Amino acid sequence: MTDVPADRNWAGNVHYRAARRHAPTTVDELRRLVTGARRVRALGTGHTFNRLGDTTGDLVSTAGLPPTVELDRERGTVTVAAGLRHGDLATRLHADGYALANLASLPHISVAGAVATATHGSGRANGNLATAVAGLELVTADGDLITLDRTDRRFAGAVVGLGALGVVTRLTLDVVPTFDIRQYVRLGLPRAALDTALDAAYSVSVFTGWRSSSRFDQVWLKQHADQPPPSADWLDTTAADTPRHPVPGMPARNCTAQLGEPGPWHERLPHFRLGFTPSSGDELQSEWHLPREAAGAALAALDPAAERIAAVLQVCELRTVAADELWLSPNHGRDTLAVHFTWIGDAAAVAPVLAEVEERLAPFAPRPHWGKLFTADPTASYPRYDDFLALLGEFDPAGKFRTDELDRWFPR
């Protein structure tokens, strides 16, 4: 057993309080560790901006477990180790002629961490990454190793489990035949054209610095390589003639290839390349998921705060995510507009603006991303909240996997 070197999250705003950190190399070792621990939490790649993954007990990384990638061509699935990064899995899948239907903007994040928090990517018809899960294996509080699949009544509650039900060791994911994508960046999208733009390609991201009341700064269109490119005057925008980074001033070489150059899905659907630091690094993040039909009204509600938002903002990204039936998915039961804020790395300056954004979005039943910064109650608009509470009681009655954040969101 080796110690996990990380003592803080990726952004550096959370210093882990764990008394001990572990990286077991076998599932049996992990089971013994969980059985003997009073409090334990699984650690992914640390791309969580709140204390969801923090504990005063034992912090466990699954990155040292065998890096399973088992492709089942007949069933159209792949079974993978929980600690694998999406970018590493994607490379191996593509080499075998397969793909995941969707990826997040960062290929650096672990498969299990992205699934547990319903991290999502973009696309009108694309569900978040957790919707690809066909089965999962986890170590429960008493050290048992169990498997759940779509035939199990508990499955839809356990997939987006926030690490609260056990330590996930492997996941089985749906796959599709590999495909190529072209990525185009367009500049100066009129605000009135947002809805049309969000439906214009396989995956779409719209970026704004909240410095203009009439236009968004950039639109990233990720479309199948055999589709025609956007017209020269597409939605009254202009084509970027050089590669762009979504954060002003950051080097475009960190980003996936643009300008319509075709490439495999895993080298275009993420915004950032696996070998480079994602985004800016020195940042905080918040994100709220809103009903898609409320997009215009919700953005208008934020407009009076635009100057205050812009003062502490690096970039805001707007994306769509398709509805699903996973109990704690922010996209449960409704097509979604995700409004993502990459803030500067000054928590004191960001805090009052974050609170104002929450207040202004409150009428639209927002669901915050579980792994990002927020202060309001995240559970109010989840129809299966009580069912998940019952699942917590069934899987972890003594609270072995609980954290301060989970106790706040799901009080016993």
Side-chain angles (χ1 to χ4, degrees):
M1 183 179 296
T2 57
D3 285 341
V4 180
D7 63 355
R8 60 181 186 171
N9 68 339
W10 174 79
N13 68 307
V14 174
H15 288 257
Y16 300 127
R17 301 171 296 164
R20 295 161 297 277
R21 300 193 300 276
H22 313 275
T25 56
T26 69
V27 172
D28 284 343
E29 185 182 352
L30 172 62
R31 293 176 66 185
R32 290 193 297 270
L33 191 155
V34 170
T35 301
R38 187 182 67 84
R39 285 288 180 98
V40 63
R41 286 292 294 181
L43 174 69
T45 41
H47 206 263
T48 296
F49 292 79
N50 57 41
R51 291 194 172 275
L52 173 61
D54 191 25
T55 181
T56 55
D58 291 86
L59 199 59
V60 178
S61 169
T62 59
L65 296 180
T68 302
V69 178
E70 298 173 357
L71 185 63
D72 188 327
R73 297 175 186 272
E74 184 176 341
R75 295 186 178 182
T77 61
V78 64
T79 298
V80 305
L84 275 181
R85 298 185 303 173
H86 264 101
D88 297 323
L89 167 62
T91 301
R92 295 178 63 174
L93 274 181
H94 176 68
D96 286 331
Y98 287 89
L100 301 173
N102 199 6
L103 283 174
S105 60
L106 304 180
H108 310 70
I109 56 179
S110 68
V111 175
V115 165
T117 54
T119 297
H120 52 87
S122 180
R124 177 184 60 82
N126 295 330
N128 67 52
L129 304 187
T131 62
V133 176
L136 69 161
E137 176 187 275
L138 71 161
V139 176
T140 59
D142 56 6
D144 286 344
L145 185 67
I146 69 168
T147 301
L148 304 175
D149 62 26
R150 288 172 173 145
T151 66
D152 194 297
R153 63 170 180 82
R154 303 165 295 180
F155 177 79
V159 175
V160 183
L162 309 183
L165 306 178
V167 179
V168 175
T169 55
R170 305 204 309 173
L171 300 103
T172 299
L173 309 174
D174 296 330
V175 295
V176 298
T178 193
F179 56 97
D180 285 349
I181 291 286
R182 296 179 189 267
Q183 182 167 227
Y184 299 90
V185 176
R186 306 290 301 197
L187 309 176
L189 178 74
R191 288 274 297 257
L194 174 64
D195 204 51
T196 301
L198 289 171
D199 289 341
Y202 184 79
S203 175
V204 179
S205 290
V206 177
F207 295 98
T208 177
W210 285 100
R211 292 177 175 84
S212 171
S213 60
S214 60
R215 289 183 182 265
F216 298 113
D217 301 333
Q218 300 181 26
V219 184
W220 289 31
L221 300 169
K222 303 167 190 277
Q223 63 183 51
H224 284 287
D226 58 358
Q227 298 298 304
S231 62
D233 60 350
W234 181 79
L235 296 182
D236 194 28
T237 62
T238 58
D241 56 2
T242 59
R244 301 297 176 113
H245 192 291
V247 179
M250 294 297 295
R253 67 177 179 274
N254 294 11
C255 299
T256 48
Q258 303 163 25
L259 304 178
E261 178 187 343
W265 58 283
H266 65 289
E267 295 179 359
R268 297 296 183 275
L269 291 180
H271 297 333
F272 304 103
R273 296 166 62 185
L274 185 60
F276 288 80
T277 299
S279 195
S280 73
D282 183 16
E283 64 192 56
L284 302 171
Q285 292 184 12
S286 299
E287 183 174 52
W288 290 271
H289 291 240
L290 310 166
R292 172 74 189 268
E293 64 270 17
L299 295 178
L302 293 177
D303 280 338
E307 186 174 342
R308 292 182 291 281
I309 291 172
V312 294
L313 183 69
Q314 296 193 48
V315 73
C316 173
E317 181 177 4
L318 309 176
R319 290 175 282 186
T320 54
V321 190
D324 62 60
E325 294 305 318
L326 303 176
W327 296 358
L328 289 190
S329 166
N331 319 114
H332 177 92
R334 66 191 197 191
D335 292 333
T336 296
L337 175 77
V339 184
H340 180 279
F341 294 89
T342 299
W343 309 107
I344 61 174
D346 185 339
V350 168
V353 180
L354 187 154
E356 182 175 1
V357 169
E358 286 186 321
E359 181 179 357
R360 291 182 175 277
L361 292 180
F364 306 101
R367 296 171 181 166
H369 188 297
W370 293 106
K372 303 191 187 298
L373 295 177
F374 57 89
T375 62
D377 179 7
T379 63
S381 63
Y382 283 89
R384 304 300 297 269
Y385 174 81
D386 288 340
D387 293 324
F388 188 75
L389 272 180
L391 203 61
L392 280 175
E394 178 181 344
F395 273 76
D396 189 22
K400 179 173 287 191
F401 300 111
R402 281 185 170 265
T403 66
D404 293 346
E405 295 283 44
L406 287 169
D407 283 340
R408 181 164 62 89
W409 303 337
F410 305 97
R412 286 180 280 183

